[in-house]
Amino acid sequence: MDQRLRVHCFTISRDGIGAGEDQSFERPFGHVDPGELMSWAGAAAGWAYRGDGGTRGLDDYLVRAMNRNIGAEIMGRNKFGPFRGPWADHEWQGWWGGEPPFHTPVFVLTHHVRPSFALGETTFHFLDTTPHEALARAKEAAAGQDVRLGGGVTTIREFLAADLVDDLHIAVAPYDLGHGLKLWESPDELADRFHTERVPSPSGVVHYFLWRR
Amino acid sequence: MDQRLRVHCFTISRDGIGAGEDQSFERPFGHVDPGELMSWAGAAAGWAYRGDGGTRGLDDYLVRAMNRNIGAEIMGRNKFGPFRGPWADHEWQGWWGGEPPFHTPVFVLTHHVRPSFALGETTFHFLDTTPHEALARAKEAAAGQDVRLGGGVTTIREFLAADLVDDLHIAVAPYDLGHGLKLWESPDELADRFHTERVPSPSGVVHYFLWRR
């Protein structure tokens, strides 16, 4: 069974930045405005958080591909919440309200584990382990389907360093951010290990598709 | 429930031709070589008819979108088979062998109806009716999911003329065919009714995305 680890719709600035520093409860992306960074996705009819209307061109196809054949997600603790260090309590259940958009098991990588819990159709598990071991757990939970690597920047870089990522779709917004957490200096860094396609969208973002050689 | 009528991965030459004349059992696309016309799709990892390998860039995303949220297909009789006029018998069950790739009800438009039959997970029904009525039947069968309009050229043109199509993805191969069944002179013909995006693929085909205004 060919189960893949896939990155989808992960959006960075032209200078490679996927999130700001100084994340807080009020600012989940630090100084970066996620609504602006992700505006290409928010304009698409298939985006989970919008109502009626929206575009149905290239960007919409990519937004809708995000959940295709996905049976589990892996994310870093900073995608799950703004806290660092030991948990004061377990009241925080993520940014997504009572029905998180994952609808699968989600594995949160953290040095500070806590009990698993279910929220809507999503179950969150907390793992203090290596990328290899986390991927093995997620693949088992995905029951034959693929695993999505949800980010953030640091988590994707760790899994790339461990050479565990099979496919990446990275959207590059048409502006620079100057400073923040950087996914790459350039996609050329991955050219020795990944086939790379560059596809400008009519919306202004540039989509990169990378898959393992 | 917003059920849409969608065209996916329908491929034409640069001069708008989607099939040749003189269709026969040996030549389902007449003088046009479907393997050449569809080679962009055949190179993608997600194409139903290929084994291992294949590309995982833009073209692959579009190939994999073909069945997303589809609950029924409508096709013309000439997509179903090479015969014209009354059926000599009912032995012909389509080009696709024992497990057709549709896995849904399929409605074949023909002036010569015959009994429905099931093959694998696909059920073929035969209708001698208008595009409006065929779409109503297909939407009912799709049980809330969308309906794919599978072609060929003549059928898509009929449904466009009746203003029943919501979304089209048309792939334009990078060469001319000179003569044959023509979908359009230019996508500009639909610009008054459809938003249009033009996205060149690294593979050489140009993808057009059209959705109803």
Side-chain angles (χ1 to χ4, degrees), chain A residues 195 197 211, chain B residues 34-61 63-64 201-205:
Chain A
H195 299 278
E197 282 188 2
W211 68 99
Chain B
E36 188 180 6
L37 192 65
M38 297 293 293
S39 61
W40 71 272
W47 186 239
Y49 302 98
R50 67 169 293 140
D52 292 344
T55 63
R56 292 176 183 271
L58 172 61
D59 294 350
D60 192 45
Y61 276 78
V63 161
R64 290 177 195 267
S201 169
S203 67
V205 300

Side-chain angles (χ1 to χ4, degrees), chain B residues 2 10 16 28 30 33 37 44 57 63 78 83 97 101 104 109 121 136 141 148 152 174 179 189 195:
Chain B
D2 178 30
F10 196 79
D33 175 358
L37 192 65
V63 161
N78 297 358
F83 308 106
T104 67
L109 291 174
E121 294 182 324
R148 186 177 46 236
H179 63 103
E189 293 169 14
H195 299 277

Side-chain angles (χ1 to χ4, degrees), chain A residues 6 16 64 95 106:
Chain A
R6 296 158 39 193
R64 291 176 194 268
W95 310 93
V106 170

Side-chain angles (χ1 to χ4, degrees), chain A residues 73-167:
Chain A
E73 161 147 340
I74 295 171
M75 65 172 66
R77 187 188 185 185
N78 297 358
K79 176 168 173 178
F80 177 71
F83 308 106
R84 305 291 184 272
W87 300 97
D89 57 52
H90 297 158
E91 285 186 16
W92 179 263
Q93 296 196 310
W95 310 93
W96 304 279
E99 187 55 82
F102 307 103
H103 310 287
T104 67
V106 170
F107 294 88
V108 181
L109 291 174
T110 171
H111 295 304
H112 303 278
V113 297
R114 51 179 265 191
S116 301
F117 67 91
L119 203 55
E121 294 181 326
T122 302
T123 305
F124 290 94
H125 304 284
F126 299 83
L127 299 177
D128 179 14
T129 187
T130 62
H132 272 93
E133 176 59 25
L135 180 56
R137 289 284 301 277
K139 281 190 173 174
E140 189 183 352
Q145 291 190 293
D146 292 342
V147 176
R148 185 177 48 236
L149 182 59
V153 169
T154 307
T155 302
I156 294 177
R157 290 186 61 102
E158 283 172 2
F159 279 78
L160 283 171
D163 202 22
L164 293 173
V165 185
D166 295 301
D167 301 271

Side-chain angles (χ1 to χ4, degrees), chain B residues 11 33 69 98 102 125 127 171 174 185 196:
Chain B
T11 306
D33 175 358
N69 195 40
F102 307 103
H125 304 282
L127 299 178
E185 294 295 329
T196 307

Side-chain angles (χ1 to χ4, degrees), chain A residues 5-6 9 23 26-27 40 53 55 60 66 80 95 97 107 111 126 153 156 164 185:
Chain A
L5 182 62
R6 296 158 39 193
C9 296
Q23 183 190 44
E26 293 76 19
R27 295 184 162 274
W40 71 272
T55 63
D60 192 46
M66 209 160 159
F80 177 71
W95 310 93
F107 294 88
H111 295 304
F126 299 83
V153 169
I156 294 177
L164 293 173
E185 294 295 329

